[in-house]
Amino acid sequence: MALRIIHEEGDAVLLKKSRPVTDFDKRLHILLDDMRETLLNAGGVGLAAPQVGVLRRAVLVMDTNKEGLTEEEQIIELVNPQIIEQDGEQTGQEGCLSVPGVYGIVTRPEHVRVRAQDRSGQTFEVEGTGLTARCFCHEIDHLDGHLFTEKAQRILSEEELQEMNGEN
Ligand code: ZN
């Protein structure tokens, strides 16, 4: 496994639409393994392939609602993910490893159901609520070239960020 560079806002790769994964081969497995290592190293809750410069429809989401799992075990790999159901609404703070130090207020569904393939091409469905639902939406947006900053009602100010850090 190897760490990959996380591309940041301003890099054109983040604005492009990713292509579906068609080959569930060693190349995909290396990409997913590298993404896992990169995500854990960066301390995020999700990562999409375009963030590491690969325009393929693959993302990782950490299911932080699951207790008793290690960070590594919380990672869900989703290849060619699609939101097939969504309901409710949540408005809250969101950030992105590609937009370091910036947080905004974004409204997302409270609950989503996602259909995806695993690394061997097997189709499965997974549900998420709260932060996990937010993360599914955020990562899938990356595959269509969208960043959370486009959807944010507003970006938090310096003062708000300091307050937020102070609370932690
Ligand atoms: Zn992001």
Side-chain angles (χ1 to χ4, degrees):
M1 290 204 276
L3 285 179
R4 302 230 182 169
I5 291 165
I6 298 177
H7 293 248
E8 295 186 357
E9 194 178 24
D11 192 320
V13 78
L14 295 173
L15 305 177
K16 292 182 178 158
K17 200 171 160 75
S18 292
R19 293 181 303 276
V21 171
T22 49
D23 297 327
F24 295 81
D25 55 5
K26 193 160 179 241
R27 199 180 158 90
L28 173 69
H29 299 169
I30 291 170
L31 170 66
L32 290 169
D33 287 343
D34 288 355
M35 284 173 64
R36 294 178 82 95
E37 194 180 347
T38 305
L39 173 61
L40 292 171
N41 181 67
V45 289
L47 187 69
Q51 290 181 277
V52 297
V54 178
L55 288 169
R56 287 289 177 178
R57 302 187 81 82
V59 306
L60 303 180
V61 168
M62 285 179 72
D63 188 353
T64 49
N65 293 337
K66 282 226 179 86
E67 283 174 37
L69 295 183
T70 64
E71 283 194 328
E72 177 99 54
E73 290 166 342
Q74 286 179 341
I75 296 176
I76 306 168
E77 297 176 352
L78 303 126
V79 178
N80 300 325
Q82 269 183 292
I83 294 172
I84 54 167
E85 263 176 49
Q86 59 177 66
D87 46 80
E89 198 178 273
Q90 56 173 322
T91 298
Q93 195 181 295
E94 201 165 309
C96 177
L97 291 173
S98 292
V99 195
V102 176
Y103 294 87
I105 302 297
V106 186
T107 299
R108 301 282 192 185
E110 172 59 27
H111 166 259
V112 296
R113 175 178 280 274
V114 178
R115 184 176 293 151
Q117 285 165 283
D118 67 13
R119 59 166 65 203
S120 63
Q122 205 68 41
T123 299
F124 68 100
E125 288 183 11
V126 61
E127 279 183 283
T129 55
L131 177 62
T132 309
R134 177 178 292 285
C135 198
F136 282 134
C137 297
H138 177 116
E139 300 312 329
I140 292 170
D141 272 355
H142 273 299
L143 302 181
D144 292 314
H146 298 301
L147 295 176
F148 84 96
T149 43
E150 293 168 37
K151 300 204 166 171
Q153 292 152 24
R154 62 185 190 85
I155 299 295
L156 299 187
S157 67
E158 276 301 318
E159 290 74 23
E160 286 172 306
L161 281 179
Q162 275 171 13
E163 219 168 90
M164 197 177 99
N165 292 331
E167 279 169 13
N168 291 340

